[in-house]
Amino acid sequence: DSAQLTRQYQNIASATVYGIDLMSKQKITGGLWLSTGYSYVNSHDNQTSLQLYGTTKHSGNISADYNFRRENYSFTAQLYCKLMGEKFYEITDDRTSHRPYSNWRVTISQEYKWLRVSTGVDNVFDLVIPQNVNFISPGRRFFIGVNIDFSKLR
């Protein structure tokens, strides 16, 4: 027998939510850019003073992008990291939370005239968090994509 947890949403009478978002994008050199973002959200139920269900106080992202462009050609490489802080859940009388995590992605893209080919790896470090409803990932994934810009076909 396996027990299955069923969640049900309930509205609360009154809540307070406030926060701040900070973002920065800096050119390091030539075609190299570094981007960062941070988000702080304080949210709580005014009756119980508990953090709101399913919320994260701290989250952010970091990205390093390299771009090389010529007249009919471009090359882009990106290293991206999503950072998620502890996420609060209240189940019956127990207070539970999902641990903080980071998820990394590498993408390389080349474009020539009307054709763009992209490839990469999502979830580079093969992170799997069972029972986390906000991070559903089977683990590391490889991808490839092809885009055709029909407006440039002449």
Short mmCIF file of all heavy atoms in Angstrom, two decimals, residues 43-86:
data_model
loop_
_atom_site.label_atom_id
_atom_site.label_comp_id
_atom_site.label_asym_id
_atom_site.label_seq_id
_atom_site.Cartn_x
_atom_site.Cartn_y
_atom_site.Cartn_z
N SER A 43 5.67 36.91 2.77
CA SER A 43 4.23 36.72 2.68
C SER A 43 3.77 35.90 3.88
O SER A 43 4.38 34.90 4.22
CB SER A 43 3.87 35.98 1.39
OG SER A 43 4.48 34.71 1.37
N HIS A 44 2.73 36.38 4.54
CA HIS A 44 2.23 35.62 5.68
C HIS A 44 0.73 35.82 5.87
O HIS A 44 0.17 36.84 5.50
CB HIS A 44 3.00 35.97 6.97
CG HIS A 44 2.81 37.39 7.43
ND1 HIS A 44 3.60 38.41 7.00
CD2 HIS A 44 1.92 37.93 8.29
CE1 HIS A 44 3.21 39.54 7.56
NE2 HIS A 44 2.19 39.27 8.35
N ASP A 45 0.13 34.81 6.47
CA ASP A 45 -1.28 34.81 6.84
C ASP A 45 -1.39 35.70 8.08
O ASP A 45 -0.71 35.49 9.08
CB ASP A 45 -1.71 33.37 7.15
CG ASP A 45 -3.18 33.24 7.51
OD1 ASP A 45 -3.74 34.20 8.08
OD2 ASP A 45 -3.74 32.17 7.24
N ASN A 46 -2.24 36.71 8.03
CA ASN A 46 -2.36 37.64 9.15
C ASN A 46 -2.99 37.01 10.39
O ASN A 46 -2.79 37.51 11.50
CB ASN A 46 -3.16 38.88 8.74
CG ASN A 46 -2.39 39.73 7.75
OD1 ASN A 46 -1.15 39.70 7.72
ND2 ASN A 46 -3.09 40.49 6.94
N GLN A 47 -3.73 35.91 10.24
CA GLN A 47 -4.33 35.26 11.41
C GLN A 47 -3.36 34.31 12.10
O GLN A 47 -3.30 34.25 13.32
CB GLN A 47 -5.60 34.51 11.01
CG GLN A 47 -6.73 35.44 10.62
CD GLN A 47 -7.95 34.67 10.16
OE1 GLN A 47 -7.86 33.55 9.67
NE2 GLN A 47 -9.12 35.29 10.33
N THR A 48 -2.61 33.54 11.32
CA THR A 48 -1.73 32.52 11.92
C THR A 48 -0.28 32.98 11.98
O THR A 48 0.54 32.34 12.64
CB THR A 48 -1.78 31.21 11.12
OG1 THR A 48 -1.24 31.46 9.81
CG2 THR A 48 -3.20 30.67 11.03
N SER A 49 0.06 34.03 11.27
CA SER A 49 1.43 34.54 11.13
C SER A 49 2.36 33.56 10.41
O SER A 49 3.57 33.73 10.42
CB SER A 49 2.03 34.91 12.49
OG SER A 49 1.30 35.98 13.05
N LEU A 50 1.81 32.50 9.79
CA LEU A 50 2.61 31.55 9.04
C LEU A 50 2.88 32.08 7.64
O LEU A 50 2.06 32.80 7.06
CB LEU A 50 1.89 30.21 8.93
CG LEU A 50 1.74 29.39 10.21
CD1 LEU A 50 0.91 28.14 9.94
CD2 LEU A 50 3.11 29.01 10.76
N GLN A 51 4.03 31.70 7.11
CA GLN A 51 4.35 32.02 5.73
C GLN A 51 3.29 31.39 4.83
O GLN A 51 2.81 30.30 5.10
CB GLN A 51 5.74 31.47 5.40
CG GLN A 51 6.22 31.80 4.01
CD GLN A 51 7.65 31.33 3.78
OE1 GLN A 51 8.45 31.25 4.71
NE2 GLN A 51 7.96 31.03 2.54
N LEU A 52 2.91 32.08 3.76
CA LEU A 52 1.89 31.56 2.86
C LEU A 52 2.36 30.27 2.20
O LEU A 52 3.53 30.12 1.84
CB LEU A 52 1.51 32.58 1.79
CG LEU A 52 0.80 33.83 2.30
CD1 LEU A 52 0.44 34.74 1.13
CD2 LEU A 52 -0.45 33.49 3.10
N TYR A 53 1.43 29.38 2.02
CA TYR A 53 1.66 28.05 1.44
C TYR A 53 2.31 28.15 0.07
O TYR A 53 1.87 28.90 -0.79
CB TYR A 53 0.31 27.35 1.34
CG TYR A 53 0.33 25.99 0.71
CD1 TYR A 53 0.54 24.86 1.48
CD2 TYR A 53 0.15 25.83 -0.66
CE1 TYR A 53 0.57 23.60 0.92
CE2 TYR A 53 0.17 24.58 -1.23
CZ TYR A 53 0.38 23.47 -0.44
OH TYR A 53 0.41 22.23 -0.99
N GLY A 54 3.38 27.41 -0.12
CA GLY A 54 4.01 27.32 -1.44
C GLY A 54 4.84 28.51 -1.84
O GLY A 54 5.16 28.68 -3.01
N THR A 55 5.20 29.37 -0.88
CA THR A 55 5.98 30.55 -1.24
C THR A 55 7.45 30.39 -0.86
O THR A 55 7.80 29.65 0.05
CB THR A 55 5.43 31.82 -0.55
OG1 THR A 55 5.49 31.65 0.86
CG2 THR A 55 4.00 32.09 -0.99
N THR A 56 8.29 31.10 -1.58
CA THR A 56 9.73 31.13 -1.35
C THR A 56 10.13 32.54 -1.00
O THR A 56 9.80 33.47 -1.74
CB THR A 56 10.49 30.69 -2.62
OG1 THR A 56 10.08 29.38 -2.96
CG2 THR A 56 11.97 30.72 -2.42
N LYS A 57 10.84 32.72 0.10
CA LYS A 57 11.29 34.06 0.46
C LYS A 57 12.42 34.55 -0.45
O LYS A 57 12.46 35.70 -0.83
CB LYS A 57 11.75 34.11 1.92
CG LYS A 57 10.61 34.12 2.90
CD LYS A 57 11.09 34.44 4.30
CE LYS A 57 9.88 34.50 5.20
NZ LYS A 57 10.13 35.24 6.42
N HIS A 58 13.36 33.67 -0.75
CA HIS A 58 14.54 34.07 -1.51
C HIS A 58 14.66 33.24 -2.79
O HIS A 58 14.57 32.02 -2.75
CB HIS A 58 15.81 33.85 -0.68
CG HIS A 58 15.78 34.53 0.64
ND1 HIS A 58 16.06 35.87 0.80
CD2 HIS A 58 15.48 34.06 1.88
CE1 HIS A 58 15.95 36.19 2.07
NE2 HIS A 58 15.59 35.11 2.75
N SER A 59 14.87 33.92 -3.90
CA SER A 59 15.15 33.23 -5.17
C SER A 59 16.00 34.14 -6.03
O SER A 59 16.09 35.34 -5.79
CB SER A 59 13.85 32.84 -5.89
OG SER A 59 13.12 34.00 -6.24
N GLY A 60 16.62 33.55 -7.03
CA GLY A 60 17.46 34.37 -7.89
C GLY A 60 17.92 33.61 -9.11
O GLY A 60 17.56 32.45 -9.32
N ASN A 61 18.73 34.27 -9.90
CA ASN A 61 19.31 33.65 -11.08
C ASN A 61 20.63 34.32 -11.42
O ASN A 61 20.87 35.47 -11.05
CB ASN A 61 18.35 33.69 -12.27
CG ASN A 61 17.97 35.10 -12.63
OD1 ASN A 61 18.81 35.87 -13.07
ND2 ASN A 61 16.73 35.47 -12.42
N ILE A 62 21.47 33.55 -12.08
CA ILE A 62 22.77 34.03 -12.54
C ILE A 62 22.93 33.53 -13.97
O ILE A 62 22.61 32.38 -14.27
CB ILE A 62 23.92 33.47 -11.68
CG1 ILE A 62 23.75 33.86 -10.22
CG2 ILE A 62 25.27 33.95 -12.19
CD1 ILE A 62 24.68 33.12 -9.28
N SER A 63 23.45 34.39 -14.84
CA SER A 63 23.63 33.99 -16.22
C SER A 63 24.89 34.63 -16.78
O SER A 63 25.14 35.81 -16.57
CB SER A 63 22.42 34.42 -17.05
OG SER A 63 22.62 34.15 -18.42
N ALA A 64 25.68 33.82 -17.48
CA ALA A 64 26.83 34.34 -18.22
C ALA A 64 26.54 34.05 -19.69
O ALA A 64 26.27 32.91 -20.06
CB ALA A 64 28.12 33.66 -17.78
N ASP A 65 26.58 35.08 -20.52
CA ASP A 65 26.27 34.95 -21.94
C ASP A 65 27.45 35.47 -22.76
O ASP A 65 27.99 36.54 -22.48
CB ASP A 65 25.04 35.78 -22.30
CG ASP A 65 23.81 35.34 -21.57
OD1 ASP A 65 23.59 35.79 -20.42
OD2 ASP A 65 23.08 34.55 -22.14
N TYR A 66 27.80 34.71 -23.79
CA TYR A 66 28.82 35.15 -24.73
C TYR A 66 28.18 35.22 -26.11
O TYR A 66 27.55 34.25 -26.56
CB TYR A 66 30.03 34.21 -24.76
CG TYR A 66 31.03 34.62 -25.81
CD1 TYR A 66 31.85 35.72 -25.59
CD2 TYR A 66 31.11 33.95 -27.01
CE1 TYR A 66 32.75 36.13 -26.57
CE2 TYR A 66 32.00 34.35 -27.99
CZ TYR A 66 32.81 35.44 -27.76
OH TYR A 66 33.69 35.85 -28.74
N ASN A 67 28.33 36.36 -26.78
CA ASN A 67 27.76 36.56 -28.12
C ASN A 67 28.86 36.99 -29.08
O ASN A 67 29.64 37.90 -28.78
CB ASN A 67 26.68 37.65 -28.09
CG ASN A 67 25.55 37.29 -27.19
OD1 ASN A 67 24.88 36.29 -27.40
ND2 ASN A 67 25.32 38.09 -26.15
N PHE A 68 28.89 36.34 -30.24
CA PHE A 68 29.81 36.67 -31.31
C PHE A 68 28.97 36.86 -32.57
O PHE A 68 28.20 35.97 -32.93
CB PHE A 68 30.84 35.54 -31.50
CG PHE A 68 31.72 35.74 -32.69
CD1 PHE A 68 32.83 36.57 -32.61
CD2 PHE A 68 31.44 35.09 -33.89
CE1 PHE A 68 33.65 36.75 -33.72
CE2 PHE A 68 32.26 35.27 -34.99
CZ PHE A 68 33.36 36.10 -34.91
N ARG A 69 29.09 38.03 -33.22
CA ARG A 69 28.25 38.30 -34.38
C ARG A 69 29.09 38.81 -35.56
O ARG A 69 30.03 39.56 -35.39
CB ARG A 69 27.20 39.35 -34.04
CG ARG A 69 26.27 38.91 -32.95
CD ARG A 69 25.08 39.85 -32.82
NE ARG A 69 24.30 39.57 -31.65
CZ ARG A 69 23.49 38.54 -31.50
NH1 ARG A 69 23.37 37.67 -32.47
NH2 ARG A 69 22.80 38.37 -30.39
N ARG A 70 28.68 38.36 -36.74
CA ARG A 70 29.19 38.85 -38.01
C ARG A 70 27.97 39.16 -38.88
O ARG A 70 26.84 38.97 -38.47
CB ARG A 70 30.10 37.81 -38.68
CG ARG A 70 31.41 37.60 -37.96
CD ARG A 70 32.30 38.85 -38.12
NE ARG A 70 33.57 38.67 -37.47
CZ ARG A 70 33.98 39.37 -36.42
NH1 ARG A 70 33.20 40.26 -35.88
NH2 ARG A 70 35.17 39.17 -35.90
N GLU A 71 28.20 39.54 -40.11
CA GLU A 71 27.09 39.98 -40.97
C GLU A 71 25.98 38.92 -41.08
O GLU A 71 24.82 39.22 -40.85
CB GLU A 71 27.60 40.34 -42.36
CG GLU A 71 26.51 40.90 -43.25
CD GLU A 71 27.03 41.31 -44.61
OE1 GLU A 71 28.24 41.52 -44.78
OE2 GLU A 71 26.19 41.40 -45.53
N ASN A 72 26.30 37.71 -41.46
CA ASN A 72 25.28 36.68 -41.64
C ASN A 72 25.41 35.52 -40.65
O ASN A 72 24.84 34.46 -40.85
CB ASN A 72 25.35 36.10 -43.06
CG ASN A 72 24.83 37.08 -44.08
OD1 ASN A 72 23.85 37.77 -43.85
ND2 ASN A 72 25.51 37.17 -45.22
N TYR A 73 26.17 35.73 -39.57
CA TYR A 73 26.43 34.63 -38.64
C TYR A 73 26.46 35.14 -37.20
O TYR A 73 26.94 36.24 -36.93
CB TYR A 73 27.79 33.99 -38.97
CG TYR A 73 28.21 32.93 -37.99
CD1 TYR A 73 27.68 31.65 -38.06
CD2 TYR A 73 29.11 33.22 -36.98
CE1 TYR A 73 28.05 30.67 -37.15
CE2 TYR A 73 29.49 32.24 -36.08
CZ TYR A 73 28.96 30.98 -36.15
OH TYR A 73 29.32 30.02 -35.26
N SER A 74 25.94 34.32 -36.31
CA SER A 74 26.09 34.64 -34.89
C SER A 74 26.25 33.34 -34.09
O SER A 74 25.74 32.28 -34.48
CB SER A 74 24.88 35.43 -34.37
OG SER A 74 23.74 34.62 -34.32
N PHE A 75 26.98 33.47 -33.00
CA PHE A 75 27.22 32.35 -32.08
C PHE A 75 26.90 32.86 -30.68
O PHE A 75 27.33 33.95 -30.29
CB PHE A 75 28.68 31.91 -32.14
CG PHE A 75 29.06 30.93 -31.06
CD1 PHE A 75 28.82 29.58 -31.23
CD2 PHE A 75 29.63 31.37 -29.87
CE1 PHE A 75 29.16 28.67 -30.23
CE2 PHE A 75 29.97 30.48 -28.87
CZ PHE A 75 29.74 29.13 -29.05
N THR A 76 26.13 32.08 -29.93
CA THR A 76 25.77 32.45 -28.56
C THR A 76 25.98 31.24 -27.66
O THR A 76 25.56 30.13 -28.00
CB THR A 76 24.30 32.91 -28.47
OG1 THR A 76 24.10 33.98 -29.38
CG2 THR A 76 23.95 33.35 -27.08
N ALA A 77 26.61 31.47 -26.52
CA ALA A 77 26.75 30.43 -25.50
C ALA A 77 26.24 31.01 -24.19
O ALA A 77 26.52 32.17 -23.86
CB ALA A 77 28.19 30.00 -25.35
N GLN A 78 25.46 30.22 -23.45
CA GLN A 78 24.90 30.70 -22.20
C GLN A 78 25.03 29.65 -21.10
O GLN A 78 24.74 28.47 -21.33
CB GLN A 78 23.42 31.07 -22.35
CG GLN A 78 22.81 31.60 -21.05
CD GLN A 78 21.31 31.77 -21.14
OE1 GLN A 78 20.60 30.82 -21.40
NE2 GLN A 78 20.85 32.99 -20.91
N LEU A 79 25.43 30.10 -19.93
CA LEU A 79 25.40 29.29 -18.72
C LEU A 79 24.42 29.98 -17.79
O LEU A 79 24.60 31.16 -17.46
CB LEU A 79 26.79 29.21 -18.07
CG LEU A 79 26.86 28.48 -16.74
CD1 LEU A 79 26.47 27.01 -16.91
CD2 LEU A 79 28.26 28.60 -16.14
N TYR A 80 23.36 29.28 -17.40
CA TYR A 80 22.27 29.88 -16.62
C TYR A 80 22.02 29.04 -15.37
O TYR A 80 22.01 27.81 -15.43
CB TYR A 80 21.00 29.93 -17.47
CG TYR A 80 19.78 30.39 -16.71
CD1 TYR A 80 19.54 31.74 -16.49
CD2 TYR A 80 18.86 29.48 -16.19
CE1 TYR A 80 18.43 32.18 -15.79
CE2 TYR A 80 17.75 29.90 -15.49
CZ TYR A 80 17.54 31.24 -15.29
OH TYR A 80 16.43 31.67 -14.59
N CYS A 81 21.83 29.71 -14.25
CA CYS A 81 21.53 29.03 -12.99
C CYS A 81 20.32 29.67 -12.33
O CYS A 81 20.28 30.88 -12.14
CB CYS A 81 22.72 29.11 -12.04
SG CYS A 81 22.39 28.38 -10.43
N LYS A 82 19.33 28.84 -12.01
CA LYS A 82 18.15 29.29 -11.26
C LYS A 82 18.34 28.85 -9.81
O LYS A 82 18.62 27.68 -9.54
CB LYS A 82 16.89 28.64 -11.84
CG LYS A 82 15.63 28.99 -11.10
CD LYS A 82 14.44 28.29 -11.75
CE LYS A 82 13.17 28.55 -10.97
NZ LYS A 82 12.03 27.86 -11.58
N LEU A 83 18.21 29.78 -8.89
CA LEU A 83 18.39 29.51 -7.47
C LEU A 83 17.04 29.66 -6.76
O LEU A 83 16.40 30.69 -6.89
CB LEU A 83 19.39 30.50 -6.87
CG LEU A 83 20.74 30.56 -7.55
CD1 LEU A 83 21.46 31.87 -7.24
CD2 LEU A 83 21.58 29.38 -7.13
N MET A 84 16.64 28.64 -6.04
CA MET A 84 15.37 28.68 -5.31
C MET A 84 15.62 28.44 -3.83
O MET A 84 16.27 27.46 -3.46
CB MET A 84 14.39 27.62 -5.82
CG MET A 84 13.85 27.90 -7.20
SD MET A 84 12.94 29.45 -7.33
CE MET A 84 11.52 29.10 -6.34
N GLY A 85 15.10 29.33 -3.01
CA GLY A 85 15.23 29.17 -1.57
C GLY A 85 14.23 28.16 -1.04
O GLY A 85 13.44 27.57 -1.78
N GLU A 86 14.25 27.96 0.25
CA GLU A 86 13.34 27.03 0.91
C GLU A 86 11.90 27.46 0.65
O GLU A 86 11.56 28.64 0.70
CB GLU A 86 13.63 27.05 2.41
CG GLU A 86 12.84 26.05 3.20
CD GLU A 86 13.25 26.08 4.66
OE1 GLU A 86 13.34 27.17 5.25
OE2 GLU A 86 13.50 24.99 5.21
#
